[in-house]
Amino acid sequence: MSPIQFDQIRLPRELQALREEVREFLRREAPATGLSSRAEYNAEFSRKVGARGWIGMTWPKRYGGGERSFLERYVVTEEFRVGNAPVALHFTADRQSGPILLKYAGEPTKQSILPRITRGECCFCIGMSEPGSGSDLFAAKTKATRAAGGWTINGTKIWTSGAHHANYMIGLFRTSPPAKENRRHGLTQFLVDMSRPGIKVNPIEDMSGGKHFNEVVFEDFFIPDDHVLGDVDMAWKQATSELAYERSGPERFLETIHVLFALTRVLGDKPDLRGAEGLGRLVAQLHTLRRMSVSVNGMLQAGKEPVLEGSIVKDVGTLWEQALPARARELAAFVEGERAEFDAVVRHAATIAPKLTIQGGTTEVLRGIIARGLGLR
Ligand SMILES: Cc1cc2nc3c(=O)[nH]c(=O)nc-3n(C[C@H](O)[C@H](O)[C@H](O)COP(=O)(O)OP(=O)(O)OC[C@H]3O[C@@H](n4cnc5c(N)ncnc54)[C@H](O)[C@@H]3O)c2cc1C
């Protein structure tokens, strides 16, 4: 059997009612948002989303979750992305940090933090990359040293999205040197309370002029023992299933989707042959991508760990959305008429395009993972 397995899974028809519910909510609560409003931290909006039960949808009810399916969550995520809804405050916690806490945090931590996430009141960031280790996470040097009742952290994380808003970080720190037989040994995941002293968040401006990510400096920062997540030195064992969540969602190919909508408007009802062929090709590719992404989410629902398939969705998806602005420009090149809106959307997408194949794992690194999964290296 092939090591790559995309199960034939489709979104059940009955989820259409949920989709309509989300669209109606967005029409009321997040109308006419700007191009980059998805990146906005909007406490009121997140609280309203929480009140609808759309954060932590798949988590157990005893922690404020909804015990709903990954495919239901998929529909909500998809609609929020297409609607450019301002989800930044709760999105990381919902997608990734909450599931880590569910799996590895102690009971008191789960009881105190998870319900706050589901209410849309708690923002998380991810502290993995460092100045000397991005793709090679296991080269991380930021050190956690034993102290009375906990650990002392010294070092620097970088590219930390949203650290300036976050209440907590899930940080990856070095607790022991790498072992000779396993260089990935020696790192531990910690829950970091960003309000404690000894932490400095310095903004980094990106090429679009936004300040979304940061440098985070730890100086004798204390973390209590009960904020260790999972086993000390064994983070390498915990990271893999998390990556399938991080890489396979619809957000991985919908970041520049508004270019496709604007292109459709510019080409109009009767595009010429070139326009029709080009648009048809883009839509067919998007349809295939979506089916692959739905499949991965269905497999997660079935308790599988589709790490390889998730990497493929991220690789193919981000290359597609990155190429979209230039392709749309080509197809619209000979169309006459008013196109100021199209130009603005394409310009914005072209500015954010370079980051798409870097965040969440670079294209080259993903291909290394896929090659290993296929037994080629
Ligand atoms: C918008 C954005 C948001 C981000 N948010 C976060 C965040 O919230 N938290 C966080 O921890 N990090 C975050 N990152 C960091 C991101 O995860 C890293 O930038 C990424 O992992 C690459 O690491 P690097 O920048 O150190 O590049 P490097 O790892 O130095 O890579 C440089 C180049 O070498 C290639 N390369 C590296 N290793 C290999 C290999 N083994 N085989 C083949 N080619 C290789 C890469 O593909 C790349 O082209 C974010 C990045 C971006 C762009």
Side-chain angles (χ1 to χ4, degrees), residues 126-129 134-135 159-161 213 355 358-359 362 364-365:
I126 305 166
M128 292 200 199
S129 307
S135 303
W159 316 126
T160 321
S161 302
F213 45 33
K355 71 167 186 154
I358 303 173
Q359 60 187 13
T362 67
E364 293 77 11
V365 166

Side-chain angles (χ1 to χ4, degrees), residues 93-129:
D94 178 44
R95 177 178 72 184
Q96 166 165 14
S97 317
I100 296 176
L101 295 181
L102 267 174
K103 231 170 167 176
Y104 300 111
E107 198 50 38
T109 303
K110 287 197 233 187
Q111 284 183 15
S112 87
I113 296 182
L114 292 172
R116 283 166 55 207
I117 295 178
T118 62
R119 289 199 299 268
E121 293 169 359
C122 199
C123 180
F124 269 73
C125 63
I126 305 166
M128 292 200 199
S129 307

